[in-house]
Structure formats: structure tokens, C-alpha cells
Amino acid sequence: MTGITVLLVDDHLVVRSGLKALLGTQPDFDVVAEAASGEEALGLVEQHSPALVVMDLAMGAGMDGIEAIKQLRQRNSQQAILVFTTYDSDADIVRAVDAGAMGYLLKDAAPDEIFAAIRGAVQGKSVMSAPVASRLFQQLRNPDEVLTPREAELLSLLTEGLSNRELGQRLFISGATVKTHLAHIYAKLGVETRAAAIATAIRREGMR
């Protein structure tokens, strides 16, 4: 395989420079552009059409990595995206995969692991750091962990029969945010209705 074009997205210049230098040791990698924000990344992907986007998750003010991944995948469902971050929480991993990332690497990954992940991602393979893969497997075995803390809290409140407005008041969030959380909960639980979500919540509570 030759000529894997790469866009690096990270708000830290030192990180981008270090990764670019590392990738430069491989003859088949070509870093065609660098972005310091999600917004900048969208424009550079349009301009350069890289084979792979290496994306950090947290980038200060503006669009974060998750939203950038979603928008990139909406524009091109075939775009290969590899998360490269320090964040290894369950919620971050699930959000990134849900958004459309092909893989998830931690920044302490060994060079050979990074090289293999890049080559795998452009071939359509799902690539994960070993610790991330282990956590994701645990999440699949324990579905409760897939929900973010806020989603779990909202699911618990559903069993009290609260309306969307009441849920918003209880959690100090807008009605639109409640609807967004509910949509994510339904999708993660594999249900389509509030009643089904409540039934699932009650069943899980009874299994504890």
C-alpha cells in the first residue's frame, strides 16, 4: 500500500508536529494538512480529500472531535477517521464509535501500534488500543455502562412517570436537550418508545 494521505486534527501544535514527524518515518504515509479545530478540519477535508483523518476529541472552544466526526461522516460516509486522544472514559469511547470513528487510539500508543492502526483504518478495519478494546468489550457485556451518567439519570427518572418538561426542570436542561438524550437512550437500549425504555429500566433495576 502506498500514499496514505492523512489529515491531523489536534489543537496542540506540539502534538501535531510530533505525530507528523513520527508518520514521516514511514514511506507510505503523507500528512497533507493539519487542523487545530473541528471547523478547520471540515474545510481541509473538502480541500484535500485525505484517505484518513486522525482526530483528537477535545479541542478547546468551538466544535469538538465528536461533532466533527459526525459531520465528516454525514458528508462522506466512507471517510476513514481514527481517534487519537488521551481520553479513555467509557462515554468518550462509545460516543466516538457511535459518531462513526473507525478506530480509537490513546496517545501513549507505541509507534508500531499507531502505524498499524492507520493502515488498518484505511482498509475499513476497526482498530482500537488494547485498553480501549477491553473497555468496549466490557460495555457490550454490561449494557448499563453504555449510557452516559446523564442518560442513566434520565432513564431512572423516566420510571417516575415525568413528562419531558418535568424531566427538564428536574435536571435543569432544556426540553430539546431532554429529547436528544431520550433519542440516544432509545437507540442504545434498542427500543422505540418511552414505555419500552421504562420497562427496560425497571427490569435492569430488578436485576441489580
Side-chain angles (χ1 to χ4, degrees), residues 31-201:
V31 177
V32 295
E34 301 174 39
S37 68
E39 292 88 349
E40 188 178 1
L42 297 181
L44 288 173
V45 167
E46 290 287 340
Q47 182 179 346
H48 296 279
S49 299
L52 177 71
V53 177
V54 178
M55 179 82 69
D56 192 10
L57 292 185
M59 288 181 285
M63 184 185 298
D64 66 5
I66 297 295
E67 183 58 32
I69 292 170
K70 289 179 181 178
Q71 294 204 26
L72 287 173
R73 295 284 287 184
Q74 287 172 357
R75 297 180 183 191
N76 177 9
S77 62
Q78 302 304 310
Q79 178 65 62
I81 303 169
L82 177 66
V83 170
F84 188 64
T85 186
T86 58
Y87 296 91
D88 65 346
S89 74
D90 295 348
D92 287 319
I93 295 167
V94 171
R95 289 173 63 228
V97 173
D98 283 349
M102 293 297 300
Y104 199 109
L105 280 187
L106 301 181
K107 288 183 178 178
D108 61 358
D112 286 347
E113 186 178 4
I114 296 172
F115 302 153
I118 289 175
R119 294 181 179 116
V122 296
Q123 294 176 31
K125 299 177 182 178
S126 295
V127 287
M128 305 258 174
S129 289
V132 171
S134 176
R135 296 186 74 143
L136 194 59
F137 179 69
Q138 284 299 116
Q139 289 164 5
L140 292 174
R141 292 181 61 189
N142 302 286
D144 279 342
E145 297 180 14
V146 173
L147 299 180
T148 65
R150 176 47 62 91
E151 289 168 352
E153 183 180 14
L154 195 150
L155 179 60
S156 178
L157 291 175
L158 278 183
T159 63
E160 297 182 20
L162 302 182
S163 66
N164 282 8
R165 182 169 176 273
E166 290 169 331
L167 288 170
Q169 291 174 338
R170 183 75 70 90
L171 298 175
F172 302 102
I173 57 178
S174 69
T177 301
V178 169
K179 290 182 180 179
T180 297
H181 283 314
L182 288 176
H184 291 163
I185 290 170
Y186 294 172
K188 290 178 179 180
L189 296 183
V191 301
E192 298 182 357
T193 66
R194 178 183 297 248
I198 291 173
T200 300

Side-chain angles (χ1 to χ4, degrees), residues 4-17:
I4 298 176
T5 52
V6 180
L7 167 65
L8 303 180
V9 187
D10 195 299
D11 61 338
H12 291 99
L13 176 59
V14 172
V15 174
R16 296 199 313 272
S17 298

